[in-house]
Amino acid sequence: NGWAVDGWALPDEVLRDAPTYTPKPSEIADLELLLSDAYTPLTGFLGSADLIALRRTGRLADGTTWPVPVTLEVPRSLAEQLDVTNPLRRVLVLADLEGAPIAALDATEVYPARKTTAGIAGRVRRLGDGGHGAFRRMRRTPAEVRETLPAGRILGVIADRPLHRPQLAQIARAARTLAAHLLVLVPVDSPGPDGLAPEALVRCVLAARDRMPSSTIVALPLPHHEGDDIRDAMLRTRVAAAYGVTHLLASSESMLSGGGLRVLVPRELAYDGRDGQWRSLDDIPPKHRRLPLTAAEIEDHLDRGTILPEWHTPPAVARELARARPPRRQRGLVVFFTGLSGSGKSTMATGLADALQESGERTITLLDGDIVRRHLSAGLGFSAEDRDTNIRRIGWVAAEVGRHGGVAICCPIAPYRDSRAAAREFARNAGAGFVLVHVSTPLAECERRDRKGLYAKARAGLIKGMTGIDDPYEVPLDAELTIDTTGLSHGEAVTTVLRYLGSNGWLDPR
Ligand code: PPS
């Protein structure tokens, strides 16, 4: 088996002629971990026999325990280009988001996955030099890391959130008790649970470094596998073990020992007001005891722009966090109006933009329907696919505005939940806020207004696919604000939005 050894022969023509595919981000993260051997003993994406065995028994077909399905799904049309019986025609090149090759996959099985996709199983081998990207130098393979670790116990910490004093105290205690070297693994796959960009998380962890015992810090893409936190936790444990961790500080209760590694559930610590030390809750009389801030309390400090208190967070960490999550009144924001044609979204969006231009507190980009369809989405029509593309484009541009601290105001019909969810996700990944305003004016009222005469035409059958008449509008279930403009004046509708933004900290209080 030429694959297992470094000298897997891959003639240049095979690579040149092989189809190229860019997997989705979580699959790329899996791929990186496969290539670095962090998923040992896995060497590639799983096939149907392993997936069936895994579902039934929690083990692969050969009996190896393994927590999560590690799979690759591609469009069926692409899978059809591969011939798994021919070693020269079964190679698929996997590329990053920019199209640069990351790996070659030697497909040994193609199996049906969803309606329009197929799963591809097979070993992977790295192509190229491992790529670039922020903090790339911190992305080291398990073998590289293990080589630099001292002999003896290795205390592992998975830092998917910044480390504040309570966590730092737990780490210091555990390292002291075990006489262990510390290995901090920082997941940098996607924004963490609190919406912090991966680079910002790394900066926050590095900012706490001088408060830790002697340590090794490694960044790695730990993907999230949908719908199963326990199995994800088990996978994290496996990966930590591959990196040489002997004792892992649990970051969630679902972490279990296994794979030759012990999971330590740390004691709950509190701040002792008498001497400023962090110690076990039970050792501090209640009136001197301060509990660690919850994630929500930390978020709230950041949203308001109040400095995290020094008893809780080292100032260097607080500074990095404040830079990464500026107060809401300065943070980028996407205000996304959705609703039927004639519901009043454009009018409200324009009114909001005008009000903010007048106060001068924010820079505004108005992504108005007309402008968008004339420039950004020129050539798109009103098919389901075109509408989806239109909304994703708007969402992407809006998120970029938000990334740079601006306010983007959008007002397309945006009839589909999935496209709106994508827009929300873009904003989140850019570190911007997202406020969905459902302009819920009923169809009857929109039709009565019928400023452009489109409803009349649609009723007469002169135009097809009019939203609300013969094309669906999926009512949002996740709107931050719902406004029916029936009987509301222009000013009242805009004031409602301004009040919402003001009372949630996105604007100076009004
Ligand atoms: S979408 O679905 O979000 O991509 O639509 P959007 O970009 O907002 O464009 C909606 C405007 O295009 C006009 N128009 C139609 N709307 C709905 N259905 C059909 N078939 C259609 N054909 C043209 C309509 O004037 C919409 O403008 P607004 O401002 O919403 O009234």
Side-chain angles (χ1 to χ4, degrees), residues 39 70 75-76 234 252 254 265 357 387 394 398 407 434 464:
Y39 276 176
V70 175
R76 287 206 172 180
M234 285 161 68
S252 76
S254 44
V265 179
Q357 309 269 30
R387 289 181 197 252
I394 294 171
V407 176
F434 189 89
K464 292 260 169 285

Side-chain angles (χ1 to χ4, degrees), residues 50-112:
D50 282 329
L51 292 175
I52 292 168
L54 195 60
R55 210 171 304 129
R56 289 204 186 129
T57 65
R59 289 168 187 271
L60 303 179
D62 68 2
T64 312
T65 53
W66 186 260
V68 294
V70 175
T71 56
L72 176 69
E73 258 182 63
V74 307
R76 287 206 172 180
S77 52
L78 178 68
E80 280 158 14
Q81 296 176 40
L82 301 173
D83 175 3
V84 295
T85 62
N86 179 350
L88 298 181
R89 299 223 24 231
R90 66 185 196 197
V91 175
L92 178 63
V93 172
L94 300 176
D96 65 14
L97 293 172
E98 278 122 46
I102 311 172
L105 184 148
D106 182 35
T108 46
E109 188 196 0
V110 172
Y111 58 91

Side-chain angles (χ1 to χ4, degrees), residues 202-390:
V202 173
R203 282 198 302 275
C204 287
V205 172
L206 290 174
R209 185 162 215 175
D210 59 358
R211 316 264 164 180
M212 293 182 216
S214 85
S215 61
T216 304
I217 303 181
V218 175
L220 77 174
L222 270 179
H224 179 67
H225 296 89
E226 264 161 57
D228 206 336
D229 289 348
I230 295 181
R231 283 163 175 269
D232 246 13
M234 285 161 68
L235 182 69
R236 289 175 167 219
T237 311
R238 299 282 299 230
V239 170
Y243 272 94
V245 168
T246 59
H247 295 71
L248 181 64
L249 209 59
S251 52
S252 76
E253 283 171 8
S254 44
M255 298 195 107
L256 298 168
S257 296
L261 169 158
R262 288 193 49 195
V263 171
L264 313 173
V265 179
R267 283 240 204 129
E268 222 184 312
L269 303 185
Y271 178 80
D272 190 334
R274 292 170 301 182
D275 62 356
Q277 295 294 310
W278 287 82
R279 54 172 59 91
S280 292
L281 212 60
D282 313 326
D283 298 343
I284 313 172
K287 69 171 184 179
H288 296 293
R289 185 196 288 166
R290 278 199 224 166
L291 295 180
L293 300 179
T294 62
E297 286 167 338
I298 293 172
E299 185 77 18
D300 195 54
H301 268 289
L302 296 171
D303 287 352
R304 291 168 192 274
T306 50
I307 297 168
L308 285 164
E310 205 171 331
W311 65 269
H312 185 272
T313 305
V317 177
R319 256 195 317 275
E320 282 304 338
L321 258 175
R323 211 154 60 120
R325 303 285 291 162
R328 278 188 169 180
R329 58 179 189 282
Q330 289 164 13
R331 196 180 300 165
L333 175 66
V334 176
V335 185
F336 198 107
F337 292 91
T338 170
L340 295 172
S341 171
S343 58
K345 8 176 232 331
S346 305
T347 318
M348 280 169 73
T350 315
L352 175 63
D354 289 347
L356 296 181
Q357 309 269 30
E358 284 178 18
S359 75
E361 62 195 286
R362 289 292 211 145
T363 57
I364 310 296
T365 296
L366 179 60
L367 291 165
D368 184 60
D370 282 344
I371 300 174
V372 168
R373 282 201 170 258
R374 210 172 322 126
H375 299 287
L376 187 61
S377 290
L380 294 183
F382 290 90
S383 66
E385 207 182 356
D386 281 5
R387 289 181 197 252
D388 181 62
T389 305
N390 181 36

